[in-house]
Each structure stands twice: as C-alpha cells, then as structure tokens.
C-alpha cells in the first residue's frame, strides 16, 4: 500500500463542517450567479495552477501515468468549469410552461433552485474528475458541498485538503478525509443530495443509508461493459487498437473500460493478431520495461488480479506477466461465459475474448448480465447499430471507440440499473443538484371559476368539474 499517512478528519469536526455548510446555504450566500461564476472560475484555476502537483500526487499513490491523468482526470475539469460559468445564467432561467387558456393568467413558472447541501464521495481511480466534475454541477446549482476523496489515494486526498480551502470558499466547500468510519459518519448526517462513485456493493450501502434520511442520490457504479466487434463491417485492426488502448488506460481500472470482447468466432484469430500488432506498437520494448508508460495496478488489487489470470480456463495470447506492481495487459481468447473472468467486473488490465456465432448471440450474452454502464460496438452497419440501440440497455452506447464517453460534456453520463442511476456532465450535472420548483399565483379574479368546489357540493358543481372526462379521445 502507499506509504503516505493520511490525516483523518475528526468525527466531531465532520459535524461542525456539516453545520457550517448548512448555515451558509441557509444564509443564501451561494445563490447569486456572480458568486457561482466566481467559484467555478476558482475551481478552474485550482486545477490549472496545480496540474503538476496533482499528477505527482497520484503517481506517488500508484504510478498513474501523467498523460492518462491529463487526458481523463484533470484537463476535462477546466472546460467543464468554464462552460458552467458561461452557461449558469441560461441554466437557471425560470421556465414558463404552456398551460390551458383558462389558467393562462396564473403566472405558472418552474424555478431552478438548489437542492441544498451535498456530499460527493469519490473513488481512487479517477479522483480529480470524479470529485471536481460533480462539484461543477453543485456549484452551478448553488449547492454547498463536502468532498470525500478516497483513502486509497492518500497523497491525492491530502492534496485535496490543502488546495480546496485555498481556492474555494471554505464556508461553502470543504474536504473530509478518512476511511470507512468517516464515510459512515457523513452518511449519518442529513444531506440534500449524495453523489457517490464506486463499486456496486458499496453503492448499495450508500443507497441504504440515503434511504434512512430520504436523501436523493446519484450512484455512478460500473459493471461488465462489453465490446462487440462486427468484424464483417468494421476495420478490425483499428478496432483492436482502440479496444486495447481503452483497456490499458489506468491499467483497466476504469468503470467504463472494455470488460470483455465479443467477436465472431470465425474472426477471433484475426482480431487477436490485430491486438498483438497494436500491443507491439504501444510497448515496443515490452510493457514491463522501464521505458513503458504502463500504469501500475493499485497495490490493494494486485493479488486479486494475478489470481484472476491464474484461474482463467481461456488461452492467454498476450501479456500475463507482472513486475513491481505493473501487470501486462493480458489478452485471453476462447473464454467461456462461465469462466472466472466473466463472474464480475474485472477492473484490471485483462481482456477476455468471447467468441460468438453472430450479433444476436452477442446481444443475448450482454443481456444475461446486469445492465452495464457502457456498451461499445465497432461497426459501420446501420442494422447492427439499431440492434444494439433498441435491443440492449446501458448507461451509454458508444460506437467505434472506447473511453471517450467521459469527455462528452453535452450528453449525460450515468448508469442504469446495477450500473447506477442519475447523471452528471455539463448541464446534466447542474440538473442533478437542482430542484425544479413549480410555482403558480392563483388570481383572486378566478373565484367565479372556483366557486363550485366549495361545500355544500351540488350537481351543477359535479358537472362542471367532471366535464373534462367527457372530452373526445382520438381514434389513433
């Protein structure tokens, strides 16, 4: 495990932080748009000013490569914060829904108001984007928030505690560090929204704790996100290169990482050959050599990953070796659906290839598992695309690439079923922390229309209010 000693937040201090943020929200301090914009710009500055320190902290924790940190963990925060700062006035603008003529004078409005105080509990694998990404939405919505980074990246967590109060308003945004005890303490407190990213098992614990407080929750979980390679209708070499790239990022420790690959049986060997070609391009001197840019497997998972490789009944055709915490991207062909690699989310640099007879068998296998966070399909066929679009369920469907769904700020990112619920990214993050508060102003002049509702009830009153049930219903 990493040697950095993380200072845990005192349990009594957690209560004080919670009370301080509650008082700040009640005061209305976080409501003005100018305040929100200023905090969003400060968040962008935090990342821009400290990118090097952020990269060094996570490298110290488990040797995550700087390019991967920049690609998916730090850089996306800045455009997200800047876009929110630019759009927050538009996002918060009240809506005037279309209403019936008889109540057109009631000033019917939908106001976008902050839910209240939020807590954001983030994982170790992408600690920056999965903390600050949701925080962008919370700030834009006008919600104070507590950040709870993972104890499994102690250098990163310590950096959070140092930087957040320097750049953001400490009366509204705070960091709580610790492990199970501190997280449990947070979940005992009353929040107005809980945002959790992590495993399905822990997600169930968070959801149960939230249910006791009737707290709305966003769960960003994971699952077995499959890949289907429509070999007759795609460039196999490019598909193999993109799949291997997506799997080797962060040593496969990504919730959207390709978990298993479904390939037509007759094209399995061609796909393996394409993987081997891409592997040599990525690691010309070998994945475990000092020149390699392979990220290490987190210390807490190394034994589990090595055991998985040892248990598979499939044929290892690429990788499989380990050195000083780094494990080669490992490709295994002829994997059966009952293999050890298919029991649950792998969350490691292992790529099982499951041969199938056709696209329909691939979809049947996908549907036999819990709803995944992402389905990846490599195809140029409109028919294949439609089969996956209408015949499968997932948080996201990505054609012809892997991993890129995390960088699209114009669409919601989130799970479905066992892969989670709720979403964030761009305006959808703002929506997550926002309550749509309906409003009407019933004019006194409407009394003649409302007079029939008062006792004693009359036949005339009944006919007046029941008239809507007699309207003509179209034939089709």
């Amino acid at each position: 495990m990493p040697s950095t000693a993380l200072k845990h937040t005192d349990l009594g201090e957690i209560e004080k932080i919670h009370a301080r943020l509650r008082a700040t929200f009640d005061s209305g301090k976080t409501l003005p748009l100018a305040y929100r914009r200023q905090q969003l710009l400060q968040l962008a500055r935090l990342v821009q000013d400290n990118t090097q320190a952020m990269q060094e902290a996570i490298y110290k924790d488990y040797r995550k490569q700087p390019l991967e940190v920049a690609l998916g963990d730090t850089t996306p925060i800045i455009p997200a914060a800047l876009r929110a700062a630019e759009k927050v006035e538009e996002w918060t603008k009240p809506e005037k829904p279309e209403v019936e003529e008889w109540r057109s004078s009631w000033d019917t409005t939908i106001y976008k108001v902050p839910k209240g105080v939020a807590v954001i509990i983030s994982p170790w694998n992408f600690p920056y984007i999965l903390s600050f990404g949701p925080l962008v939405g919370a700030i834009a919505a006008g919600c104070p928030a507590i950040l709870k980074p993972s104890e499994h990246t102690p250098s990163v967590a310590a950096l959070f505690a140092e930087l957040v109060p320097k750049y953001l308003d400490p009366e509204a945004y705070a960091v709580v560090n610790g492990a199970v005890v501190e997280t449990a303490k947070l979940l005992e407190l009353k929040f107005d929204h809980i945002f959790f990213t992590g495993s399905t098992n822990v997600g169930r614990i968070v959801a149960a704790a939230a249910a006791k407080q009737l707290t709305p929750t966003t769960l960003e979980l994971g699952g077995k996100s499959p890949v289907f390679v429509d070999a007759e209708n795609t460039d196999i070499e490019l598909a193999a290169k993109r799949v291997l790239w997506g799997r080797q990022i962060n040593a496969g420790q990504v919730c959207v990482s390709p978990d298993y690959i479904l390939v037509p049986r007759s094209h399995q060997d061609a796909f393996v050959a394409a993987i081997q070609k891409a592997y040599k391009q990525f690691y010309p001197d070998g994945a475990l050599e000092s020149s390699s840019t392979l990220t290490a497997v987190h210390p807490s998972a190394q034994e589990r990953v090595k055991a998985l490789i040892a248990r598979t009944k499939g044929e290892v055709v690429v990788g499989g070796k380990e050195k000083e915490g780094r494990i080669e991207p490992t490709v295994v062909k002829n994997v059966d659906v009952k293999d050890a690699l298919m029991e649950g989310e792998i969350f490691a640099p292992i790529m099982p290839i499951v041969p199938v007879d056709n696209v329909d068998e691939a979809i049947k296998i996908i549907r036999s598992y819990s709803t995944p966070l992402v389905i990846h399909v490599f195809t140029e066929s409109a028919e294949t695309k439609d089969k996956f679009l209408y015949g499968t369920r997932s948080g996201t469907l990505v054609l012809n690439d892997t991993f890129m769904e995390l960088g699209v700020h114009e669409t919601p990112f989130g799970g479905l079923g066992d892969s989670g619920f709720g979403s964030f990214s761009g305006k959808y993050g703002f929506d997550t922390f926002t309550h749509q508060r309906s409003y009407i102003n019933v004019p006194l002049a409407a009394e003649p229309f409302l007079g029939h509702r008062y006792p004693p009830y009359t036949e005339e009153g009944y006919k007046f209010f029941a008239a809507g049930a007699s309207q003509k219903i179209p034939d089709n």
Side-chain angles (χ1 to χ4, degrees):
M1 292 295 292
S3 58
T4 301
L6 178 65
K7 181 180 179 182
H8 291 201
T9 306
D10 180 78
L11 299 185
E13 181 62 21
I14 293 175
E15 292 184 350
K16 292 178 182 178
I17 292 171
H18 177 266
R20 182 172 75 241
L21 268 60
R22 175 66 62 190
T24 297
F25 179 70
D26 291 344
S27 75
K29 184 179 183 180
T30 60
L31 287 178
L33 297 185
Y35 176 90
R36 303 186 205 187
R37 282 193 290 265
Q38 191 264 347
Q39 293 298 305
L40 288 164
L41 296 178
Q42 281 296 101
L43 179 58
R45 292 186 184 101
L46 184 159
V47 177
Q48 190 172 77
D49 294 349
N50 298 281
T51 296
Q52 185 66 30
M54 294 165 80
Q55 291 177 350
E56 291 173 355
I58 199 166
Y59 189 86
K60 182 177 181 181
D61 284 333
Y62 72 100
R63 296 174 66 184
K64 186 172 184 177
Q65 294 296 311
L67 185 146
E68 294 180 0
V69 179
L71 174 67
D73 209 4
T74 54
T75 302
I77 299 166
I78 296 175
L82 295 180
R83 176 176 171 79
E86 177 188 354
K87 293 288 187 178
V88 66
E89 183 172 359
E90 174 186 328
W91 294 347
T92 55
K93 186 177 181 180
E95 294 181 18
K96 294 288 187 180
E98 184 178 348
V99 298
E100 300 91 339
E101 177 63 28
W102 63 270
R103 58 188 180 101
S104 59
S105 64
W106 291 20
D107 193 22
T108 304
T109 309
I110 301 171
Y111 288 95
K112 316 297 180 58
V113 300
K115 286 182 177 177
V117 181
V119 61
I120 298 169
I121 304 171
S122 53
W124 55 265
N125 59 330
F126 281 79
Y128 302 119
I129 187 63
L130 294 177
S131 296
F132 291 146
L135 183 61
V136 167
I139 295 173
C143 295
I146 292 176
L147 299 178
K148 168 58 182 71
S150 173
E151 68 276 17
H152 295 300
T153 42
S155 301
V156 170
L159 189 61
F160 267 87
E162 175 189 342
L163 295 180
V164 168
K166 286 184 179 180
Y167 284 82
L168 301 181
D169 180 1
E171 297 301 311
Y173 308 103
V175 175
V176 166
N177 274 323
V180 174
V181 172
E182 290 74 19
T183 304
K185 180 63 178 179
L186 282 169
L187 294 175
E188 289 176 4
L189 301 172
K190 176 61 178 175
F191 287 94
D192 300 296
H193 195 91
I194 297 172
F195 194 107
F196 170 80
T197 306
S199 70
T200 300
N201 288 337
V202 179
R204 291 191 175 98
I205 295 171
V206 172
K212 292 180 180 179
Q213 300 277 13
L214 296 179
T215 302
T217 307
T218 299
L219 298 180
E220 299 290 354
L221 308 177
K224 294 187 75 64
S225 293
V227 177
F228 175 67
V229 179
D230 187 12
E232 296 286 352
N233 297 293
T234 195
D235 181 329
I236 288 185
E237 287 202 355
L238 185 56
K241 186 175 186 178
R242 291 184 175 185
V243 171
L244 180 61
W245 172 75
R247 192 47 162 169
Q248 63 86 45
I249 286 177
N250 204 36
Q253 301 163 124
V254 191
C255 60
V256 298
S257 181
D259 190 275
Y260 62 101
I261 298 91
L262 300 157
V263 179
R265 202 176 307 275
S266 59
H267 291 82
Q268 180 180 213
D269 288 340
F271 184 75
V272 168
I275 286 281
Q276 291 169 333
K277 179 180 178 180
Y279 190 92
K280 290 178 181 177
Q281 292 175 350
F282 291 177
Y283 310 108
D285 299 323
L288 300 182
E289 295 304 309
S290 57
S291 59
S292 165
T293 53
L294 181 66
T295 290
V297 172
H298 193 277
S300 65
Q302 290 171 13
E303 293 305 316
R304 177 187 66 82
V305 175
K306 288 188 286 186
L308 267 178
I309 296 173
R311 288 177 59 204
T312 182
K313 302 298 183 184
E315 179 185 348
V316 176
V317 291
V318 173
K321 300 182 181 65
E322 179 267 343
K323 181 181 179 182
E324 297 177 350
R326 296 197 295 176
I327 297 176
E328 291 177 310
T330 303
V331 183
V332 187
K333 77 172 189 177
N334 288 322
V335 174
D336 186 81
V337 291
K338 296 182 180 179
D339 192 85
L341 297 179
M342 300 298 288
E343 291 174 355
E345 183 179 5
I346 297 172
F347 212 68
I350 307 173
M351 289 174 50
I353 300 175
V354 180
V356 294
D357 290 331
N358 50 47
V359 62
D360 295 322
E361 184 184 2
I363 289 175
K364 183 178 179 181
I365 291 172
I366 291 170
R367 293 176 65 174
S368 71
Y369 290 95
S370 298
T371 305
L373 188 55
V374 185
I375 295 176
H376 310 86
V377 181
F378 286 83
T379 187
E380 295 295 313
S381 164
E383 180 183 359
T384 300
K385 182 201 78 171
D386 286 346
K387 282 189 174 185
F388 277 88
L389 188 59
Y390 301 111
T392 64
R393 301 171 76 240
S394 63
T396 300
L397 176 63
V398 175
L399 261 62
N400 300 316
D401 210 344
T402 60
F403 187 73
M404 295 303 290
E405 57 275 7
L406 278 174
V408 181
H409 297 298
E410 293 77 21
T411 58
F413 175 77
L416 180 68
D418 283 2
S419 59
F421 47 78
S423 60
F424 77 108
S425 189
K427 182 180 182 297
Y428 302 96
F430 167 84
D431 291 343
T432 288
F433 294 95
T434 298
H435 171 60
Q436 297 194 47
R437 189 180 190 187
S438 60
Y439 165 91
I440 58 172
N441 181 0
V442 183
L444 300 181
E447 189 62 16
F449 297 96
L450 302 177
H452 290 298
R453 65 183 178 174
Y454 303 121
Y457 299 141
T458 64
E459 183 66 20
E460 182 183 10
Y462 173 81
K463 290 179 179 179
F464 180 84
F465 287 113
S470 302
Q471 60 186 303
K472 181 175 175 55
I473 299 173
D475 294 333
N476 53 55

